[in-house]
Amino acid sequence: MKIDRKNAVQEFSSYLAMTTSLKGGGGKSTFACALLDYLRSNGFIAAAYDADGAVGSFSDMHGLRDADGRLTDDQPSLDGVFAYNMRDESRATLINSLQMGHRLSVHDVGGGALSDVQRLFSDKNSVNRLFRALQACDACVIFYHLVTPDISTIESIALHLDLTDQLGPLSAHARHVAVLNRHGNRSDQDFPNWFGYLNAAGTVCGGKTRERLLAGGGAEMSLPALQDRTMSILKDCNCRFSDAVQDSRLTLLDQQRIQIFVEDFQDEMTAPIRALLGLV
């Protein structure tokens, strides 16, 4: 590994981007779809893995399809979405993907899958062993934590920070990005436990996990809002965001809403955010 002296960001040979949260329904798959769409649309080579077994939005939006619109059985990770299941023995794909030689891989992992990650090596030291494998491959995992107003999403981040902090020098192979889900056009005030707030007694509450993440070199970004109706139609069309802006199956209004979403997400991929992902 080497360090980018200008931006003080350590560089690795490969990067594993992984959505994570102990809570389901926080927007992980939507974020994974948006991230992969951003990467592939901007010329970055990115392998894609669906840890929900090809039953989620990630495979639906980015999987290769035949002439009849059905997902093909053969899904090369660099062109489509390779599926596995974190809840059975195929969870080994998470770590085995490091052998494929891809500089960047995106894994959409379902809610509550941390316990499955901890079973990778079938012992209590699984997390440590996973990071030893990352070290051996000169790889880094970027945990994308979806944040909603639900305090459980913040507790999930704190748990992940605890786990990686306990790794000692191996923790250098982990990065954390908090992704605020702006669904419904949520403002910062809609995330009191994340940003902190004053209670009725004038005492500051919350905000500690955010401070901890940022102090440890983590970053913060947003998942832009997209109207529910438009997102539902988009999923029914089984196409990625950047293709949907000109898809005749969608109305002009829906196309424009998706275009705004794509542009807003592009704006969220700032230089510091790209640097954590090894993008130049």
Side-chain angles (χ1 to χ4, degrees):
M1 68 185 71
K2 60 181 180 178
I3 296 178
D4 177 352
R5 299 296 179 184
K6 181 179 179 181
N7 298 304
V9 175
Q10 190 168 312
E11 295 181 4
F12 296 87
S13 297
S14 60
Y15 298 81
L16 191 157
M18 178 178 166
T19 59
T20 185
S21 178
L22 298 183
K23 180 178 175 58
K28 290 183 296 298
S29 291
T30 300
F31 174 79
C33 290
L35 177 61
L36 185 63
D37 185 59
Y38 166 84
L39 293 169
R40 290 180 173 175
S41 296
N42 284 279
F44 296 107
I45 298 174
Y49 296 86
D50 189 344
D52 265 343
V55 297
S57 300
F58 202 39
S59 289
D60 285 344
M61 293 182 72
H62 288 279
L64 297 177
R65 294 180 178 274
D66 60 23
D68 296 319
R70 293 187 293 264
L71 286 171
T72 61
D73 292 331
D74 183 26
Q75 289 283 333
S77 61
L78 286 179
D79 299 308
V81 180
F82 186 90
Y84 65 100
N85 195 325
M86 279 299 294
R87 290 167 176 80
D88 62 30
E89 292 305 313
S90 67
R91 71 174 69 93
T93 299
L94 176 66
I95 191 168
N96 288 337
S97 66
L98 296 170
Q99 289 184 303
M100 303 305 295
H102 307 314
R103 177 167 171 78
L104 176 58
S105 300
V106 180
H107 290 252
D108 182 27
V109 181
L114 180 60
S115 60
D116 298 303
V117 172
Q118 292 172 310
R119 286 199 291 266
L120 273 170
F121 293 93
S122 301
D123 66 29
K124 64 181 181 180
N125 295 317
S126 269
V127 173
N128 183 277
R129 295 179 188 277
L130 169 62
F131 276 84
R132 284 170 57 186
L134 289 166
Q135 182 186 50
C137 297
D138 190 31
C140 176
V141 60
I142 303 94
F143 292 109
Y144 287 94
H145 306 274
L146 271 293
V147 181
T148 72
D150 192 321
I151 194 172
S152 66
T153 61
I154 299 168
E155 293 170 343
S156 174
I157 296 177
L159 176 58
H160 283 78
L161 292 175
D162 288 342
L163 285 173
T164 52
D165 285 351
Q166 294 168 9
L167 293 170
L170 289 175
S171 64
H173 294 266
R175 292 173 178 172
H176 299 273
V177 179
V179 183
L180 276 66
N181 188 339
R182 301 289 183 174
H183 180 74
N185 295 309
R186 294 166 178 150
S187 69
D188 288 357
Q189 292 184 346
D190 293 313
F191 299 88
N193 291 297
W194 179 246
F195 288 103
Y197 66 96
L198 289 176
N199 65 14
T203 303
V204 177
C205 301
K208 298 298 183 182
T209 300
R210 178 176 185 263
E211 292 175 2
R212 179 182 174 190
L213 180 142
L214 296 178
E220 182 181 81
M221 63 180 293
S222 291
L223 176 63
L226 182 60
Q227 205 257 7
D228 284 338
R229 173 188 180 278
T230 300
M231 188 65 190
S232 179
I233 295 173
L234 174 63
K235 288 182 177 180
D236 190 50
C237 291
N238 296 320
C239 65
R240 63 180 189 165
F241 292 108
S242 57
D243 291 336
V245 299
Q246 295 182 330
D247 193 312
S248 61
R249 291 174 296 177
L250 284 86
T251 67
L252 181 59
L253 176 59
D254 289 321
Q255 290 176 6
Q256 289 301 303
R257 285 173 173 165
I258 295 169
Q259 179 67 47
I260 292 170
F261 175 89
V262 169
E263 292 172 354
D264 287 347
F265 191 87
Q266 182 104 9
D267 290 342
E268 290 295 323
M269 295 298 294
T270 60
I273 293 292
R274 295 197 307 272
L276 290 178
L277 199 53
L279 304 179
V280 293

